[in-house]
């Protein structure tokens, strides 16, 4: 299971962001100043200052399996989608960028920061408090020295996308229409598009029914 989870990284995002990725063959790193975790925002700003950069952008992914938490926290209800990438292929795309870096997040307790383990300013964008560890985050970070950039697009190959997952609240009829529309985008016909069954799985419910038939109160 650990090997399988290390093979993919997932980006929970909006349908409009997905369309931008597919049509323009890119991912867009964003300004972290609006993140909910203000400790994280502070560390990113420290990193920018110490590197002498005019701006720092980032994009967050997860290596974890699908959870209700990811859908509720990182997407916007029926507009939510998850783009699953093959990690090795995405890393190959990133290697062609002159300014993009990527690492897994290191989840720590405050006392861990007081040790000599973290000595480099380059650690700052990849440190979070241990209370966030269930996110299983993998992050792309890029800095700009020439100008302030609120966003930073990075080209990718669509072949790095292993599948697209539509949020579990979307009615099946809309999923069908969205799948049809997305597959009309150039180079997207062979991308696998599935509907999350996290909260409404027939196999799970059938198992419950079989238990109910066998058990007598």
């Amino acid at each position: 299971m650990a090997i399988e989870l290390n093979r993919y990284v997932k980006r929970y995002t909006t349908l409009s962001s997905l369309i931008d990725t597919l049509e323009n063959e890119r991912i867009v790193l964003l300004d972290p100043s609006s993140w909910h975790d203000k400790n994280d925002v502070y560390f990113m700003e420290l990193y920018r200052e110490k590197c002498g950069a005019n701006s720092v952008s980032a994009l967050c992914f997860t290596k974890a399996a699908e959870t209700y938490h990811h859908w509720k926290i990182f997407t916007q209800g029926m507009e939510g989608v998850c783009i699953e990438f093959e990690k090795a292929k995405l890393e190959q795309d990133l290697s062609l960028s002159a300014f993009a870096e990527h690492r897994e997040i290191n989840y720590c307790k405050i006392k861990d920061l007081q040790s000599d383990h973290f000595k480099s300013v380059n650690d700052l964008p990849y440190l979070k408090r241990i209370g966030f560890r269930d996110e299983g985050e993998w992050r792309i970070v890029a800095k700009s020295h020439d100008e302030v950039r609120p966003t930073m697009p990075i080209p990718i190959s669509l072949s790095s996308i292993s599948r697209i997952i539509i949020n579990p609240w979307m009615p099946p009829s809309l999923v069908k229409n969205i799948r049809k529309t997305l597959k009309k985008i150039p180079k997207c016909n062979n991308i696998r598009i599935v509907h999350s069954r996290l909260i409404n799985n027939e196999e799970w419910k059938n198992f419950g029914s079989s238990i109910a038939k066998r058990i007598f109160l």
Side-chain angles (χ1 to χ4, degrees), residues 172-203:
S173 59
L174 290 183
V175 173
K176 182 179 179 180
N177 290 335
I178 288 173
R179 181 186 288 115
K180 183 177 180 180
T181 299
L182 294 178
K183 285 185 172 292
K184 289 180 179 179
I185 298 175
K187 303 182 182 180
C188 294
N189 185 54
N190 293 324
I191 295 179
R192 185 182 173 207
I193 303 172
V194 300
H195 187 197
S196 172
R197 300 297 183 183
L198 183 65
I199 63 172
N200 190 16
N201 186 288
E202 290 302 320
E203 185 177 1

Side-chain angles (χ1 to χ4, degrees), residues 139-150:
R139 181 177 293 179
I140 303 173
V141 176
K143 51 185 182 289
S144 171
H145 290 282
D146 55 352
E147 60 180 314
V148 175
R149 299 187 183 186

Side-chain angles (χ1 to χ4, degrees), residues 148-163:
V148 175
R149 299 187 183 186
T151 62
M152 194 172 296
I154 297 178
I156 63 164
S157 58
L158 297 186
S159 62
S160 66
I161 298 176
S162 61
R163 62 175 177 164

Side-chain angles (χ1 to χ4, degrees), residues 1-205:
M1 178 61 73
I3 296 176
E4 185 71 10
L5 289 178
N6 194 52
R7 181 179 174 183
Y8 302 102
V9 290
K10 302 178 182 69
R11 170 67 182 168
Y12 287 84
T13 185
T14 61
L15 182 59
S16 58
S17 178
L18 166 65
I19 292 172
D20 180 81
T21 291
L22 298 179
E23 289 188 339
N24 298 296
E25 298 183 53
R26 67 182 184 180
I27 53 176
V28 180
L29 277 60
L30 306 172
D31 181 355
S33 62
S34 62
W35 288 355
H36 293 295
D37 182 5
K38 298 310 175 186
N39 296 318
D40 208 356
V41 173
Y42 183 71
F43 272 33
M44 295 294 285
E45 179 60 17
L46 284 176
Y47 175 70
R48 185 196 65 77
E49 291 178 356
K50 293 300 181 181
C51 290
N54 284 320
S55 60
V56 168
S57 303
L59 204 61
C60 304
F61 299 73
T62 180
K63 294 173 63 179
E66 178 189 22
T67 69
Y68 185 79
H69 166 88
H70 286 111
W71 285 114
K72 290 297 288 185
I73 300 299
F74 300 112
T75 68
Q76 300 174 11
M78 279 182 46
E79 287 300 308
V81 296
C82 174
I83 313 173
E84 183 181 78
F85 295 87
E86 286 202 35
K87 183 168 173 281
K89 290 184 179 180
L90 182 56
E91 288 176 333
Q92 185 175 10
D93 291 338
L94 296 174
S95 70
L96 302 177
S97 169
F99 44 78
E101 302 171 353
H102 55 85
R103 278 168 57 181
E104 291 183 29
I105 292 296
N106 198 326
Y107 297 96
C108 309
K109 297 179 180 179
I110 291 177
K111 65 179 181 180
D112 296 330
L113 298 180
Q114 297 168 349
S115 70
D116 292 332
H117 183 69
F118 304 108
K119 296 181 178 180
S120 172
V121 68
N122 293 320
D123 291 324
L124 289 173
Y126 305 99
L127 292 173
K128 293 186 75 170
R129 298 195 67 179
I130 200 165
F132 291 89
R133 64 185 169 186
D134 290 341
E135 293 177 356
E137 187 179 337
W138 180 87
R139 181 177 293 179
I140 303 173
V141 176
K143 51 185 182 289
S144 171
H145 290 282
D146 55 352
E147 60 180 314
V148 175
R149 299 187 183 186
T151 62
M152 194 172 296
I154 297 178
I156 63 164
S157 58
L158 297 186
S159 62
S160 66
I161 298 176
S162 61
R163 62 175 177 164
I164 295 166
I165 307 170
I166 307 297
N167 73 81
W169 298 278
M170 182 78 72
S173 59
L174 290 183
V175 173
K176 182 179 179 180
N177 290 335
I178 288 173
R179 181 186 288 115
K180 183 177 180 180
T181 299
L182 294 178
K183 285 185 172 292
K184 289 180 179 179
I185 298 175
K187 303 182 182 180
C188 294
N189 185 54
N190 293 324
I191 295 179
R192 185 182 173 207
I193 303 172
V194 300
H195 187 197
S196 172
R197 300 297 183 183
L198 183 65
I199 63 172
N200 190 16
N201 186 288
E202 290 302 320
E203 185 177 1
W204 179 268
K205 290 190 290 186

